Amino acid sequence: MKNFSWGHGIIIALGAFIIFILSMLFLFPNGQKNSEMVTDNYYEEELKYQDVIDAKKRADELQEKPTYTQDANGIKISFPKGYDNSNTTVKFVLNRTDDQNLDVKRSEQLDANQSFLIPSKVLKMGNYTLRLMWTKDKQEYRMDYDVIWK
């Protein structure tokens, strides 16, 4: 029988490392799941991100902010009661964190109660990011909410 030398130890360690790396590749291929980009035109949106930062800052400075509630009918977005909705356009995007095909994008008009409803029929159970954007008197505002639809 040969003597065990440091050269043999290096070869065994290198072989064990290669086997470890290959086992990680084949045993855990789930790293490729949920790897969709949030948006297809990521780079164009990145260039105008300062506008998003400014819109979020303006929304944070509001005394009363829009809120959302959930019930069996869907997700209701409510603006403050005294909100003057003239010269206001409201858009929202519901980004599904795990499946881009379940995203919901719309423009809405506020009703007499200064609110609108995202109907439950367009929602699937899971996690969403609600991006609420509105323009009032040529000023843009934006708020993001994490929503779990059950």
Side-chain angles (χ1 to χ4, degrees), residues 34-102:
N34 300 336
S35 61
E36 293 180 2
M37 291 181 78
V38 173
T39 178
D40 289 332
N41 50 354
Y42 173 79
Y43 295 106
E44 291 82 1
E45 288 189 16
E46 181 68 25
L47 293 175
K48 50 186 179 175
Y49 199 70
Q50 185 60 46
D51 296 339
V52 172
I53 293 170
D54 294 341
K56 284 183 175 183
K57 185 173 185 237
R58 277 191 289 277
D60 283 342
E61 292 169 353
L62 292 174
Q63 295 293 322
E64 294 184 83
K65 299 170 179 57
T67 57
Y68 77 93
T69 55
Q70 299 181 45
D71 61 23
N73 298 324
I75 300 173
K76 183 177 183 177
I77 311 293
S78 301
F79 280 74
K81 288 292 179 210
Y83 186 76
D84 174 21
N85 67 359
S86 60
N87 299 326
T88 300
T89 57
V90 180
K91 294 185 289 188
F92 74 89
V93 177
L94 265 174
N95 284 109
R96 181 63 182 252
T97 53
D98 60 349
D99 188 355
Q100 184 178 5
N101 297 322
L102 297 175

Side-chain angles (χ1 to χ4, degrees), residues 105-124:
K105 300 176 185 182
R106 289 205 185 129
S107 294
E108 291 289 335
Q109 293 293 324
L110 298 178
D111 63 16
N113 296 325
Q114 312 300 4
S115 62
F116 66 90
L117 181 72
I118 303 168
S120 60
K121 65 182 177 188
V122 300
L123 303 169
K124 300 281 185 230

